[in-house]
DNA sequence: AGTATACCCTAGTAAAATTGTCAACTATTC
DNA sequence: GAATAGTTGACAATTTTACTAGGGTATACT
């Protein structure tokens, strides 16, 4: 398992906000009950996204959460990194030099894995998810 | 962080065995001191690899570990999965149906991430690592 | 035969990460 | 001012990680 619930829940929530982009704030309760996620826990995840500038909030009655930018400007990678930290297979890749060996055979592998992951998450925008989803939903209706 | 020390240490050990393929068994102590890994801990990792048929052992004096197959027949993915379990971003992808939604927008993302990872680890063999390493070592010498 | 070497196996365990829960507080609307 | 809804910090249960400890077994060498 590569992603914890933090990344998985948080991405679902971000997708939900993208789905409702432009339609006013969505309350925590709405999201948590739709996806069956603990309310208080999801709150903490959304707080992280807010502190990093991806979502905005409106307090009080009829308040809730909303994307701070267009769905076309937020990548899946931004969301996942905000929640899970760097998406690296090994610490060595982010900053620190390999401890023991000057030339490390496994490092090359880790770099490639990282590249493979980044390639997906940095090139998929929340907007893409919304479009893809509406296409799938339409096809499901046609059956 | 995607891989734990299990996968990272285990892959290093497997690489070391690939490096010595055909040259008799390599002792635990040799590997653990070369890579600065706890002996008893590494033993447990190698036990997993043995139980899944990737390495063989010779007991007694001058004994040690050796690959059970050619380095060209063992992928990085085999090693990592033996140690870490399925390399999936989300449980949903391995067997279980998505719980809440019939059509899940994030599932597509997880599938692509998984595909990206598998693409690397299933197409890289220990033999490739050895060749790549010897090339890098030669280049380093020429400087 | 005896001893040193080296793998085998199980149990335990401290620390960290994960996955939440709880409760008091603040802001907004009606 | 009552109801709604986000904010914050503390904290607790559970699981995973990364080991450690120690006895057991097989082999080689003398
Ligand atoms: S020791 Fe850092 S990647 Fe090898
Ligand atoms: S609920 Fe399983 S991938 Fe979405």
């Amino acid at each position: 398992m590569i992603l914890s619930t933090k990344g998985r829940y948080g991405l679902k929530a971000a997708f939900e906000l993208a789905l409702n982009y432009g339609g006013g704030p969505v309350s925590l309760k709405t999201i948590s009950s739709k996806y069956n996620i603990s309310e208080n826990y999801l709150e903490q995840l959304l707080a992280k996204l807010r502190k990093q500038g991806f979502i905005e909030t409106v307090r009080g009655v009829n308040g809730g959460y909303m994307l701070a930018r267009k769905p076309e400007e937020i990548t899946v990678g931004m969301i996942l990194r905000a929640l899970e930290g760097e998406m690296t297979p090994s610490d060595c890749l982010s900053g620190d030099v390999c401890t023991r060996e000057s030339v490390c055979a496994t490092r090359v592998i880790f770099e490639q894995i990282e590249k493979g992951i980044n390639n997906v998450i940095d090139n998929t925008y929340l907007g893409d998810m919304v479009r893809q989803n509406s296409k799938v939903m339409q096809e499901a209706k046609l059956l």
Side-chain angles (χ1 to χ4, degrees), chain A:
Chain A
M1 281 274 291
I2 285 161
L3 293 169
S4 68
T5 56
K6 290 201 285 281
R8 300 212 303 278
Y9 292 173
L11 183 58
K12 286 189 185 189
F15 165 75
E16 185 64 23
L17 295 184
L19 213 53
N20 283 66
Y21 184 71
V26 183
S27 80
L28 180 62
K29 196 167 283 182
T30 305
I31 304 176
S32 68
S33 71
K34 173 163 180 181
Y35 292 98
N36 204 27
I37 300 171
S38 150
E39 210 172 315
N40 294 43
Y41 185 46
L42 182 58
E43 193 169 36
Q44 291 170 41
L45 306 182
L46 293 178
K48 282 194 181 187
L49 294 180
R50 179 176 53 81
K51 278 169 191 158
Q52 299 193 43
F54 299 115
I55 65 180
E56 283 171 353
T57 52
V58 179
R59 293 171 78 152
V61 180
N62 296 326
Y65 298 86
M66 54 212 302
L67 289 188
R69 312 186 212 163
K70 289 184 208 159
E72 281 73 26
E73 293 172 356
I74 302 178
T75 65
V76 171
M78 291 174 190
I79 301 296
L80 294 183
R81 289 200 190 87
L83 296 163
E84 303 261 6
E86 259 318 301
M87 298 287 288
T88 176
S90 173
D91 280 333
C92 297
L93 301 187
S94 49
D96 303 12
V97 185
C98 297
T99 46
R100 194 80 176 169
E101 317 100 83
S102 56
V103 180
C104 178
T106 57
R107 187 186 178 96
V108 184
I109 306 293
F110 299 150
E111 285 170 346
Q112 288 175 343
I113 295 175
E114 189 175 48
K115 207 179 287 179
I117 294 170
N118 288 343
N119 192 40
V120 174
I121 67 178
D122 290 333
N123 289 311
T124 310
Y125 291 80
L126 294 184
D128 299 329
M129 291 180 69
V130 172
R131 276 188 293 280
Q132 191 153 38
N133 186 249
S134 74
K135 203 197 293 178
V136 172
M137 295 296 276
Q138 270 187 354
E139 281 167 8
K141 259 188 193 163
L142 291 178
L143 295 180

